[in-house]
């Protein structure tokens, strides 16, 4: 679906049509009126949800994730961050020392799995996204991704994770430094949002972040992620 009307967007967001119309009238949803009827670009709605995820606390993330999981596509499975993170796509440490080298090395790391076919194109797309708005959070984590999914470059959706030995300036609020970098590689907007929402819930846990920073190797990183994901989501 490339476009929603009031009713289809209400079903997608698990809201009433009246709530969606009210939000649109108050400019709280990205939309436009055509012949007096609201229309909403699917891409714009996905971008709006992405921004909402980035600003959400745990309770709001649960709500957003329930919305995204509440209207699953045919044959759609639950998101598993651990399953999406090949051990060969984890670098501890990541040798990069600058913003540009982080993006380049994270793309090369992802390509080393054989699941990303063009590291340079991905790096360029991630740099373009970062130039619009940095993805660095105030907890020292950055959630790198291109502005839109690039399915033609990927064998399947997956993640890469790098940890630098020291925090580096990456656009974090109030000058916060960043040392944990996730690269989110999705094949469609919906999958990207579902991955982003679940990953955001995981990295809200400061104990998990401490363990990832102290982990000796990629296997330990993956073990801590799997343990916390199981605690939060069970077998889903």
């Amino acid at each position: 679906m490339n476009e929603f009307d009031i009713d289809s967007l209400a079903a997608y967001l698990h809201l009433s049509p009246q709530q969606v119309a009210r939000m649109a009238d108050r400019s709280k949803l990205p939309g436009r009126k055509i012949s007096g009827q609201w229309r909403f670009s699917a891409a714009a709605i996905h971008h709006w949800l992405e921004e909402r995820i980035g600003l959400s606390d745990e309770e709001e993330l649960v709500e957003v994730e329930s919305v995204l999981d509440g209207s699953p596509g045919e044959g759609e499975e639950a998101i598993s961050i651990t399953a999406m993170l090949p051990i060969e796509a984890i670098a501890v440490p990541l040798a990069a020392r600058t913003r540009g080298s982080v993006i380049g090395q994270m793309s090369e790391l992802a390509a080393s799995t054989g699941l990303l076919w063009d590291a340079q194109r991905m790096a360029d797309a991630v740099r373009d996204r970062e130039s619009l708005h940095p993805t660095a959070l105030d907890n020292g984590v950055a959630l790198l991704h291109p502005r839109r999914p690039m399915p033609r470059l990927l064998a399947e959706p997956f993640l890469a994770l790098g940890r630098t030995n020291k925090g580096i300036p990456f656009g974090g609020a109030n000058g916060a430094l960043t040392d944990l970098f996730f690269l989110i590689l999705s094949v469609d907007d919906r999958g990207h949002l579902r991955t982003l929402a679940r990953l955001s819930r995981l990295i809200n846990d400061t104990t998990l972040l401490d363990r990832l920073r102290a982990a000796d190797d990629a296997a330990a990183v993956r073990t801590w992620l799997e343990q916390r994901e199981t605690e939060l989501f069970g077998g889903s």
Side-chain angles (χ1 to χ4, degrees):
M1 178 182 294
N2 295 320
E3 193 172 68
F4 295 101
D5 59 15
I6 288 283
D7 289 337
S8 60
L9 183 56
Y12 183 72
L13 297 178
H14 288 197
L15 300 172
S16 70
Q18 292 77 14
Q19 287 173 302
V20 171
R22 188 159 54 248
M23 291 172 71
D25 288 337
R26 295 175 180 175
S27 300
K28 292 186 176 181
L29 280 173
R32 66 193 189 284
K33 274 192 172 180
I34 300 177
S35 300
Q37 301 296 315
W38 279 107
R39 293 291 183 270
F40 307 90
S41 159
I45 291 298
H46 290 151
H47 181 66
W48 173 78
L49 278 167
E50 181 180 88
E51 288 189 325
R52 185 178 173 191
I53 290 168
L55 297 172
S56 295
D57 59 21
E58 173 67 14
E59 183 177 346
E60 291 169 329
L61 283 170
V62 171
E63 178 186 348
V64 171
E65 192 170 20
S66 70
V67 166
L68 293 169
D69 287 342
S71 50
E74 185 177 353
E76 196 168 53
E77 297 181 355
I79 290 289
S80 167
I81 297 302
T82 310
M84 292 181 66
L85 182 62
I87 196 163
E88 60 269 30
I90 303 172
V92 287
L94 186 73
R97 297 182 178 179
T98 66
R99 186 178 184 183
S101 62
V102 164
I103 295 172
Q105 290 188 33
M106 287 297 296
S107 297
E108 291 289 349
L109 176 64
S112 72
T113 66
L115 301 174
L116 168 64
W117 300 319
D118 192 328
Q120 187 59 57
R121 282 186 63 190
M122 182 58 66
D124 290 344
V126 172
R127 288 189 183 98
D128 288 345
R129 170 62 179 83
E130 289 292 324
S131 70
L132 293 174
H133 186 74
T135 60
L137 307 172
D138 59 10
N139 59 2
V141 180
L143 303 176
L144 308 176
H145 55 84
R147 188 174 183 183
R148 296 295 304 277
M150 303 177 73
R152 294 181 181 179
L153 302 187
L154 302 172
E156 62 186 54
F158 72 106
L159 298 163
L161 168 59
R163 186 193 72 205
T164 53
N165 281 330
K166 296 181 179 180
I168 66 172
F170 212 81
N174 302 314
L177 300 180
T178 306
D179 63 346
L180 288 171
F181 301 90
F182 287 88
L183 177 58
I184 304 172
L185 299 150
S186 303
V187 297
D188 55 56
D189 287 315
R190 179 178 172 78
H192 169 71
L193 290 171
R194 295 180 71 222
T195 303
L196 183 61
R198 177 147 294 201
L199 182 55
S200 295
R201 289 187 64 190
L202 282 173
I203 65 170
N204 268 352
D205 180 357
T206 57
T207 299
L208 173 62
L209 295 184
D210 289 342
R211 288 170 172 168
L212 296 183
R213 290 182 169 112
D216 291 329
D217 53 31
V221 165
R222 205 166 182 275
T223 295
W224 286 125
L225 280 168
E226 183 174 24
Q227 177 178 308
R228 184 56 179 146
E229 190 167 29
T230 300
E231 290 170 353
L232 275 177
F233 310 112
S236 67

